[in-house]
Amino acid sequence: MKNSKLFLIATVIMLSSMSACIIVEDDYDPIPPPPPCEYNSTGEVCFDNTTDLDMFLSTDGFEFSIPAFSTTCAQIPAGFYSFYADAGYYYTWKGGFDVFVCEQSNVFLDYKNQ
């Protein structure tokens, strides 16, 4: 009987000492998820129309109307694109541009770059 009381007291002391332990978590910063542009492999392209003419631009699967003296931007998949733009019969533009993941590409459309 005396041994069982000692065993019970020892068990209670052991359990109470274990419950007093403080568990400290590390300041663990999980890796943030990638931005949507990286996840979807997209980038932004901006068409800057510095002429006084409204333009219609078409590129591999995309079409844009770009008003005079304005900039039109869009998110599209990364890659190389060829484009054709026109502003009436006499003004046309042809060229190409690259779109990089999570970056902005600019295409300048003016009378000099025709």
Side-chain angles (χ1 to χ4, degrees), residues 48-60:
D48 189 19
N49 180 1
T50 59
T51 69
D52 59 349
L53 303 168
D54 293 339
M55 289 186 192
F56 177 77
L57 185 138
S58 64
T59 185
D60 306 325

Side-chain angles (χ1 to χ4, degrees), residues 16-34:
S16 65
S17 67
M18 290 177 134
S19 65
C21 291
I22 298 173
I23 298 173
V24 177
E25 291 185 27
D26 291 338
D27 290 336
Y28 174 71
D29 291 331
I31 298 172

Side-chain angles (χ1 to χ4, degrees), residues 4 10 17 19 22 26 35 40 51 58 61-63 67-68 70 79 101 105-106 111-112:
S4 63
S17 67
S19 65
I22 298 173
D26 291 338
N40 297 323
T51 69
S58 64
F62 301 97
E63 295 179 346
S70 70
V101 175
S105 301
N106 295 304
Y111 293 120
K112 296 175 193 173

Side-chain angles (χ1 to χ4, degrees), residues 1-42:
M1 177 90 174
K2 193 172 188 173
N3 284 340
S4 63
K5 284 184 181 181
L6 285 176
F7 181 71
L8 180 64
I9 292 172
T11 304
V12 169
I13 291 172
M14 232 167 71
L15 288 175
S16 65
S17 67
M18 290 177 134
S19 65
C21 291
I22 298 173
I23 298 173
V24 177
E25 291 185 27
D26 291 338
D27 290 336
Y28 174 71
D29 291 331
I31 298 172
C37 59
E38 188 174 315
Y39 182 75
N40 297 323
S41 295
T42 60

